[in-house]
C-alpha cells in the first residue's frame, strides 16, 4: 500500500527525473549544435603554436609624397578645399621600412595600406597598414596595424590587430614618433617601435 507521503516522494522524484532528463537532452543538443560541419575546436599544437613571446621591433617608416617616385599617393582628395586638416583625404602607401632613419639604410620591409584624414579639428589619421617584412627570418611575414594617429602629438600609440606567417595570432601595439618632416614637400620619416605578442 502506497501512503500519501510516499506518493508525494515518488511524484517529486519522478518530476525531478523528468526535469533532469530534459536538461541532459538539451545539453546534448546544444553541445552537438556547437560542433557544426563548418566549425570545430582545434588544438593549437596542430598549428605548431608553442609558448607565446613578446618581440620588439624598431623600424623607420618613410612617407614620400613628391618627386619622381612617391610612396604615398593621394587617391581621394579632401572633402573641402578650405579644410586645414585635409579632412576626407585618403593616401595609399607603399612606404619603405628601414633599419635606421636614413632612407639609404637597410630595407627591412614595406608599410602597405592607406591613411585617411579622419579629423576636422586636428591632423588625425586613420591608419590601416601591413608591415610586410622582406628581411631575415621574418621575410614574408606581416604585422597589421589599425588605429588613430594624431600626427602632431610627440608619441602616438596604435594597436597591432594581427599578422601572418611568424606573426599569426599576433597582438600588441606600436608607438610612432616623428623623426623628421619636410613641411614644403610633406615627406616624413617616423620611428615605429612595435611590441608584438606572438608564438
Amino acid at each position: 500500500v502506497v501512503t500519501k507521503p510516499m506518493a508525494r516522494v515518488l511524484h517529486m522524484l519522478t518530476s525531478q527525473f523528468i526535469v533532469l532528463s530534459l536538461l541532459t537532452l538539451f545539453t546534448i543538443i546544444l553541445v552537438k549544435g556547437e560542433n557544426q560541419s563548418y566549425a570545430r575546436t582545434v588544438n593549437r599544437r596542430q598549428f605548431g603554436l608553442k609558448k607565446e613571446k613578446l618581440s620588439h621591433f624598431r623600424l623607420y617608416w618613410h612617407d614620400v609624397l613628391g618627386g619622381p617616385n612617391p610612396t604615398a599617393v593621394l587617391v581621394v582628395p579632401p572633402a573641402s578645399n578650405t579644410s586645414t586638416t585635409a579632412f576626407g583625404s585618403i593616401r595609399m602607401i607603399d612606404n619603405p621600412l628601414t633599419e635606421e632613419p636614413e632612407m639609404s639604410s637597410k630595407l627591412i620591409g614595406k608599410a602597405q595600406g592607406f591613411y585617411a584624414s579622419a579629423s576636422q579639428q586636428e591632423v588625425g589619421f586613420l591608419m590601416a597598414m601591413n608591415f610586410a617584412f622582406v628581411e631575415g627570418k621574418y621575410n614574408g611575414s606581416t604585422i597589421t596595424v589599425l588605429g588613430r594617429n594624431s600626427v602632431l602629438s610627440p608619441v602616438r600609440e596604435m594597436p597591432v590587430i594581427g599578422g601572418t606567417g611568424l606573426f599569426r595570432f599576433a597582438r600588441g601595439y606600436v608607438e610612432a614618433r616623428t623623426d623628421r618632416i619636410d613641411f614644403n614637400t610633406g615627406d616624413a620619416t617616423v620611428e615605429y617601435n612595435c611590441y608584438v605578442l606572438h608564438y
Side-chain angles (χ1 to χ4, degrees):
V1 177
V2 178
T3 63
K4 276 190 174 183
M6 284 178 65
R8 276 192 221 123
V9 169
L10 283 172
H11 179 70
M12 192 171 70
L13 287 173
T14 304
S15 298
Q16 288 178 350
F17 176 75
I18 291 170
V19 168
L20 186 61
S21 297
L22 286 171
L23 286 173
T24 303
L25 181 62
F26 287 140
T27 302
I28 290 168
I29 289 169
L30 287 172
V31 168
K32 285 194 87 154
E34 283 179 0
N35 200 9
Q36 298 293 325
S37 61
Y38 61 86
R40 65 188 173 95
T41 302
V42 295
N43 186 328
R44 66 183 185 178
R45 290 193 180 98
Q46 289 178 303
F47 288 90
L49 302 178
K50 297 175 184 172
K51 190 175 178 184
E52 195 173 39
K53 58 192 167 197
L54 175 64
S55 295
H56 169 231
F57 301 89
R58 189 189 65 192
L59 314 164
Y60 289 89
W61 181 92
H62 300 275
D63 201 38
V64 181
L65 305 185
N69 192 23
T71 64
V73 178
L74 185 68
V75 291
V76 176
S80 165
N81 290 335
T82 60
S83 173
T84 57
T85 64
F87 178 65
S89 66
I90 300 175
R91 286 188 184 271
M92 293 302 295
I93 61 169
D94 186 22
N95 289 352
L97 297 170
T98 61
E99 193 171 51
E100 299 298 334
E102 296 74 31
M103 179 84 91
S104 58
S105 69
K106 186 177 189 179
L107 182 72
I108 294 170
K110 293 289 195 84
Q112 297 172 329
F114 69 88
Y115 57 85
S117 181
S119 176
Q120 296 183 67
Q121 285 76 38
E122 62 176 317
V123 183
F125 294 145
L126 163 66
M127 308 289 292
M129 58 186 170
N130 291 308
F131 287 177
F133 291 92
V134 297
E135 174 60 29
K137 73 175 185 175
Y138 299 109
N139 183 21
S141 298
T142 66
I143 292 172
T144 302
V145 176
L146 175 67
R148 180 176 185 269
N149 184 354
S150 181
V151 176
L152 299 179
S153 298
V155 181
R156 290 87 69 191
E157 186 177 310
M158 291 167 275
V160 169
I161 62 167
T164 63
L166 292 179
F167 300 110
R168 289 179 189 146
F169 303 105
R171 67 192 195 282
Y173 71 100
V174 299
E175 289 181 346
R177 293 173 174 83
T178 302
D179 184 71
R180 64 183 73 130
I181 187 165
D182 184 329
F183 288 102
N184 293 321
T185 64
D187 295 357
T189 300
V190 179
E191 178 186 333
Y192 272 85
N193 282 280
C194 312
Y195 299 91
V196 185
L197 283 163
H198 61 106
Y199 291 95

